[in-house]
Amino acid sequence: PEVIKRVEDNGIIFIDEINKIIDRIMGYSDSDEGVLFVKENDTRFSEVETKISMIVKVIQELSIKNVFTQIDKILLDYSLISSDIMARTRAISFDIPTSDVLGDKKNILEYVFHKVIEIDEELDLKNFNGKDIKKIDPDYKPNLYTYEIKVKSGQSCFGYILNDKFIEIKENAYKDMLVRPLSLEQRFFCSGILESNFNILVVDAKAGSGKTLLALSSAIKLIDLKKYSKIIYIRNSIESIDKGEDVGYLPGLAEKFKIYNHPLYDSLDFMIREKYKDKKNMTEEALLEEMDNLKEKYHIDTMWVGEMRGRTITNSVVIVDECQNLGEKSLKLVLSRIDKTCKVIIIGSNAQIDNIYVNKYNNGLSKVLKTAYFKHEEVNLFACKLNKVYRGPITEWAERIFK
């Protein structure tokens, strides 16, 4: 129902759809400012419905100039939440607290997927592998995908959670990878990709953290292990939008989208240089030839979002790069093309949004990051963050000052 139905008296219109608010809030509890967020199955919903009925009754019985005064008395410490700026402005003039449906910046969710715990007892670290995580950490929540466990002796072990079990990460897990992880958070990321039981991975990663490079290197190892037959790289064009994903009217899609696939080519270039770093005199022609050989051997292909409607992707590792530039509809289009024989790696950073048609609230990356806080029957989800910048001090400095 609408909090207050349309009122047209003396030109005043005051509308707010509570169902839209409930959908956007996704079940979060009371905010710091005392604004009540509820779902229909929440026991508090009847209380809100009662207040809504009282407000509507006030509007029907009182003159419009007294409406806001009476509403203020009814709502007490509640705030008006509305996407209608005129409604919020009118409410503020009557000293009624207001906020946008999207909330204030201070209420932006800080995604947490990792936890460090310390155990006082002197235990053998080998006893943790395969153990029920709730017996190790009684405060375990579904959004905790990785753990660092420290014991009294000062030793520690690392692992991820699979089916509520702690799975220790082995040192030799990254053997034969073209590029190996350098840090613990990168090890978590690669382990999530290499784990067969996870079919969707999402990573919130800073610029220069190695997200594309490690995703590609891990995907190549999966091909070597015969678990998948090809790698599909998807990256949206910056100026594309949910409606139409326009790229112009001239032919030559391959040439148009070549510039958007540079992160893929840069990663392949780095892998080849690492593989042949002893050959200092390797020519550019030889480098390009090796790159073509790598693409052919591992069946590395690129796709554009706008050409995916009606297609079905099978037996592939699908890398969706720069997902913060995809709208929710576009990401839905991509994910709905993928069958049960695939693994999806979703990577991006909300600090690097270039698409003017999306923001940190409504892009595809944020949608998946939010859903990572809950378990899902259809898929086994894995989420992590990459905070360490390896590209260099300039990138790290830029990330900090433009945060």
Side-chain angles (χ1 to χ4, degrees):
E2 294 178 346
V3 173
I4 301 177
K5 296 186 178 180
R6 182 176 293 269
V7 178
E8 297 187 3
D9 188 355
N10 298 329
I12 296 175
I13 301 177
F14 189 63
I15 304 175
D16 203 345
E17 297 175 354
I18 197 170
N19 281 335
K20 290 183 180 179
I21 298 171
I22 293 170
D23 290 340
R24 296 303 295 267
I25 298 306
M26 297 177 65
Y28 297 151
S29 59
D30 296 354
S31 77
D32 295 335
E33 296 182 349
V35 181
L36 184 64
F37 301 128
V38 295
K39 279 189 172 182
E40 291 189 53
N41 58 359
D42 195 307
T43 56
R44 297 171 295 177
F45 189 75
S46 58
E47 176 188 351
V48 176
E49 280 194 311
T50 302
K51 292 184 182 296
I52 293 170
S53 300
M54 293 172 67
I55 293 170
V56 174
K57 187 176 181 181
V58 167
I59 293 175
Q60 293 172 343
E61 295 180 356
L62 299 178
S63 62
I64 196 68
K65 64 182 179 181
N66 294 323
V67 166
F68 283 103
T69 302
Q70 295 298 320
I71 290 174
D72 195 25
K73 291 179 181 178
I74 294 170
L75 291 179
L76 298 177
D77 60 341
Y78 290 85
S79 298
L80 167 67
I81 307 173
S82 175
S83 57
D84 187 340
I85 191 170
M86 296 302 294
R88 297 200 306 271
T89 302
R90 182 66 175 169
I92 290 171
S93 69
F94 286 93
D95 296 323
I96 298 175
T98 68
S99 64
D100 192 355
V101 171
L102 297 177
D104 301 321
K105 286 186 177 180
K106 64 183 179 181
N107 291 327
I108 295 173
L109 183 63
E110 178 66 26
Y111 303 107
V112 177
F113 303 122
H114 176 69
K115 187 175 183 180
V116 179
I117 60 174
E118 297 183 3
I119 299 177
D120 294 332
E121 304 174 34
E122 188 63 59
L123 299 174
D124 187 351
L125 292 176
K126 296 180 180 178
N127 294 334
F128 290 122
N129 191 34
K131 192 173 182 179
D132 190 333
I133 186 59
K134 293 179 182 177
K135 292 181 179 179
I136 303 174
D137 178 21
D139 297 324
Y140 164 74
K141 292 180 175 57
N143 63 292
L144 298 174
Y145 291 88
T146 58
Y147 272 84
E148 178 182 356
I149 302 174
K150 298 180 179 180
V151 295
K152 193 174 182 179
S153 63
Q155 293 181 309
S156 60
C157 64
F158 316 99
Y160 53 87
I161 309 304
L162 177 64
N163 298 327
D164 294 332
K165 304 291 184 183
F166 176 81
I167 308 299
E168 184 182 0
I169 295 176
K170 304 298 182 181
E171 289 295 332
N172 61 353
Y174 318 105
K175 185 180 179 181
D176 300 327
M177 286 182 61
L178 291 176
V179 177
R180 299 179 184 180
L182 299 176
S183 65
L184 179 59
E185 60 182 12
Q186 287 188 346
R187 290 172 64 186
F188 286 142
F189 179 42
C190 293
S191 295
I193 298 174
L194 297 176
E195 171 57 61
S196 301
N197 290 284
F198 295 128
N199 50 7
I200 293 186
L201 294 93
V202 57
V203 58
D204 182 18
K206 287 185 177 180
S209 59
K211 53 186 182 294
T212 306
L213 180 63
L214 288 173
L216 185 59
S217 181
S218 301
I220 285 175
K221 181 168 183 179
L222 290 174
I223 303 294
D224 284 334
L225 294 173
K226 309 295 184 183
K227 293 185 177 181
Y228 301 92
S229 62
K230 53 189 174 182
I231 298 171
I232 305 294
Y233 179 83
I234 299 170
R235 183 177 183 267
N236 200 20
S237 59
I238 291 176
E239 68 270 19
S240 66
I241 58 176
D242 282 343
K243 284 186 177 180
E245 303 288 350
D246 298 333
V247 293
Y249 300 98
L250 297 175
L253 284 179
E255 288 301 316
K256 288 180 180 179
F257 282 94
K258 184 176 181 180
I259 59 172
Y260 300 117
N261 294 325
H262 276 316
L264 171 65
Y265 303 139
D266 289 345
S267 296
L268 291 172
D269 180 278
F270 183 87
M271 289 179 183
I272 294 168
R273 292 182 188 276
E274 279 293 299
K275 184 178 180 180
Y276 298 102
K277 58 185 175 182
D278 294 334
K279 297 182 179 180
K280 298 181 180 179
N281 297 324
M282 191 174 190
T283 64
E284 287 298 316
E285 290 78 8
L287 182 68
L288 291 174
E289 184 179 350
E290 283 295 323
M291 187 180 296
D292 289 338
N293 291 338
L294 202 63
K295 289 167 62 178
E296 183 177 353
K297 178 180 179 181
Y298 293 101
H299 304 283
I300 301 173
D301 197 7
T302 60
M303 280 191 183
W304 167 50
V305 176
E307 65 177 340
M308 298 188 70
R309 181 69 68 189
R311 299 190 64 176
T312 300
I313 300 174
T314 62
N315 201 25
S316 305
V317 181
V318 181
I319 301 173
V320 186
D321 202 358
E322 305 294 351
C323 191
Q324 76 278 358
N325 286 323
L326 281 174
E328 292 184 5
K329 292 181 180 178
S330 295
L331 184 56
K332 179 183 177 181
L333 169 62
V334 172
L335 296 178
S336 60
R337 303 302 97 202
I338 299 169
D339 78 354
K340 62 183 179 180
T341 62
C342 296
K343 181 188 289 284
V344 185
I345 307 169
I346 299 171
I347 50 183
S349 168
N350 275 327
Q352 302 179 74
I353 298 175
D354 304 305
N355 189 342
I356 63 173
Y357 298 98
V358 299
N359 57 46
K360 66 181 70 176
Y361 302 103
N362 63 12
N363 65 58
L365 176 66
S366 291
K367 181 68 174 180
V368 180
L369 287 171
K370 289 175 185 177
T371 61
Y373 268 65
F374 311 96
K375 289 187 179 293
H376 303 271
E377 295 181 0
E378 305 92 340
V379 297
N380 282 329
L381 191 66
F382 180 88
C384 65
K385 298 175 70 172
L386 295 177
N387 293 313
K388 176 66 175 176
V389 176
Y390 289 92
R391 185 170 293 155
I394 295 176
T395 301
E396 190 171 8
W397 172 74
E399 279 285 323
R400 180 177 60 81
I401 68 168
F402 294 110
K403 186 177 181 180

